[in-house]
Structure formats: C-alpha cells, structure tokens
Amino acid sequence: MTLLLHLADFNERRWAAGFAAALPGHRVVTRADQYDPDEIDYIFIWKPKPDAFAGLKNLKAILSLGAGVDALLRNPSRPVDVPIVRFMDEDLQQRMSDYVVAQVTMHQRLITRFRRDQQARRWSQLYPAPAWDASVGIMGLGQLGLDAIKHLKVFGYKLRGWSRSAKQIEGVEVFTGTEQFEAFLNGTDILVNLLPLTPETQGILNYETFARLRRGGLDGEGPVIVNAGRGGHQKEADIVRALEDGTLKAASLDVFEVEPLPQQSPLWAMDNVYITPHIAAASSERTGVAYFSKVIRDHAAGQPLPNVIDFGRGY
C-alpha cells in the first residue's frame, strides 16, 4: 500500500512522518518524492491542484483533510468513480463548536456595541438580555451543526435549525427545505452557517436572506451572521451593503470568496465585522493522522469506508 500526500498550506513532510509511524510496512510519499503513479492506493489531500489526480489509475479512496469537499468535486482530474472520505472526528467537531459558541456568545453580549463605546471612551451602561432571549438559527444539521447545537443548549439559547432533509432534534425548532426557509429566517437573531457547499447553497448568504432575519432582537443590536461554512456561501458585496445600511448589525466571518481575503476588501476596516483566517476548525496532525491511518487499515482489512461523500447530494 502506498499513500500520497498532496497538502497545500500544510507541512507535507511532517504529516508524512506521522503517517509513516502510524502505518509501519506501508510506503508514504509526498509530491516531492519519486514514485510510480500506478502504485498509489490512497491520496490524502487538501486544496488540490488541477492535475492532482493525473496518472493515479489505481486509487482506492481519496482522503480529504477537510470536512468540505467542494474543491475536490470540482477538480478536473478527479477520477469520478473513486470514493471520497471526508475528515470528521470529535476533535474537529469540538473546534468548530468552540468557534460557534464564542461568536454567538460575543454577539449575544453585544460586543460590537461595547467595542464602539470603548473606542469613543463612552461609558454607556446597557445590560444585555440573557441567552434565552436570543434566537440562534443553525443552517446545516449534519455532524457539525448537531454538535454546535449540543454546546449552545447549555447556555439556554432559543435554537432553530434548517436543513434540506427533515429532522427531529430535541429542544430545537426545525425547518426543512426552501418552502420553510423564510419562516426559519424570520425568527432568527443570530444566523450561523454550517452548510456544505453545493450548487443549491452557493451564495445563500445574500442580501435577500439578511433582509428576512428578525428585526429588533438582541436589544436592537441584531440581526447578526456567523459564517464558518465555505466562502462560496456568501456574497461579500451583499454583506458589506447590509452592514452599512443596518440590515445586518454585525458579522463573524471565517471564510471568504477569495482567500486570503484581499487587502482591498472593505470588510477589513468595518468595526462590526470579526475576521478570522479560515481557522474555525481544522484537524491537527495528531488527530488527522490517527483518523486516516485507521481508515486505511480498516479498509485494507475489508471494512467499509466511513464518511463517504454522496456524489448525488454533493456532501
């Protein structure tokens, strides 16, 4: 068995050393090594180049470092009949929930308002309403969305969820499909996006969506959006417009249409925007190596692959 690493923005050598230690007796190579493409059984990949799969005729599985696979699905050299396994473990879920809880709590506590007061050296006492007065809407009820809901429940937020398929979640008002999307938005103060990126969800964070969110919530300091999904979900020109005219009061953005976020983007200078550089949830070498080494060992032993992408659904 030979594993090829194709990792943009990561130290391939360090990951390769980890896999070599976890998979004794198997060959682990990087793009800089000499190898026969015919010998590659698995490719562990992140941000693939257009020719990432060229010559890899004997692949058994594509292993994605991230939970999002839209870039893989668009790759022109990808063999369409090879299954894609996305990364999803407790460590990744916890990291994403950490981010969501931090951003939701920050907005519920009106940090934008108090940050402006601080900059103006203005002592203006406003006591934020408790968490149970804030309505948090989660778009995307997969493993990441469900874990975020589990953590937010602890704080007492009013929780709403929206997904493509019908679900029942204790303590959560769930909405399904396009026909219930507006009703979902109408009662939401803080909109959290954890959707997969598909043709149906491309650009879903747009001005029309923002205009349907609940008015007057969060002591008049809402509505707010939190995007930890994909940059393709958002229309940044619409976000800027909505923040400038008050349709949105604030935004937390971890992903962008173009990454790194261009220096000329007006988002950088807006005091009601909180920017993080696509770091909400990423696997560590320790957990990533452990997870995919087990996937490879189990698959070699005849067990099915976990977390395989449904090509029909796009995630």
Side-chain angles (χ1 to χ4, degrees), residues 211-251:
R212 292 175 175 175
L213 293 168
R214 188 163 79 130
R215 305 289 112 188
L218 304 179
D219 296 298
E221 300 294 322
V224 171
I225 63 165
V226 176
N227 186 16
R230 307 294 286 176
H233 285 129
Q234 66 194 29
K235 294 186 177 181
E236 285 161 25
D238 286 11
I239 293 175
V240 171
R241 175 189 169 196
L243 289 166
E244 288 179 337
D245 70 15
T247 299
L248 286 177
K249 292 300 182 73

Side-chain angles (χ1 to χ4, degrees), residues 23 25 54 57 68 75 91 132 160 175 180 193-194 214 250 252 260-261 277 281 295 301 312:
L23 295 168
K57 302 175 183 177
N75 189 279
D91 184 86
W132 56 66
R160 304 158 69 79
F175 300 80
Q180 294 185 353
N193 176 48
L194 295 174
R214 188 163 79 130
S252 291
L261 180 64
V295 168

Side-chain angles (χ1 to χ4, degrees), residues 145-283:
L146 292 176
D147 196 70
I149 284 170
K150 179 183 74 174
H151 286 77
L152 289 167
K153 277 184 178 180
V154 175
F155 292 85
Y157 292 106
K158 290 186 287 189
L159 296 172
R160 304 158 69 79
W162 181 78
S163 66
R164 184 168 112 169
S165 55
K167 299 191 176 180
Q168 290 187 330
I169 306 170
E170 185 179 354
V172 180
E173 187 176 6
V174 177
F175 300 80
T176 307
T178 55
E179 64 279 3
Q180 294 185 353
F181 188 50
E182 184 168 1
F184 163 73
L185 296 172
N186 289 167
T188 295
D189 299 318
I190 302 173
L191 180 66
V192 178
N193 176 48
L194 295 174
L195 288 165
L197 184 61
T198 67
E200 292 75 24
T201 63
Q202 182 88 27
I204 196 169
L205 294 176
N206 55 50
Y207 195 86
E208 182 180 5
T209 294
F210 308 149
R212 292 175 175 175
L213 293 168
R214 188 163 79 130
R215 305 289 112 188
L218 304 179
D219 296 298
E221 300 294 322
V224 171
I225 63 165
V226 176
N227 186 16
R230 307 294 286 176
H233 285 129
Q234 66 194 29
K235 294 186 177 181
E236 285 161 25
D238 286 11
I239 293 175
V240 171
R241 175 189 169 196
L243 289 166
E244 288 179 337
D245 70 15
T247 299
L248 286 177
K249 292 300 182 73
S252 291
L253 306 173
D254 184 60
V255 291
F256 302 90
E257 292 178 78
V258 175
E259 295 183 1
L261 180 64
Q263 289 290 309
Q264 64 270 26
S265 171
L267 292 169
W268 285 111
M270 302 185 81
D271 69 354
N272 52 352
V273 177
Y274 301 85
I275 290 172
T276 49
H278 204 149
I279 50 77
S283 64

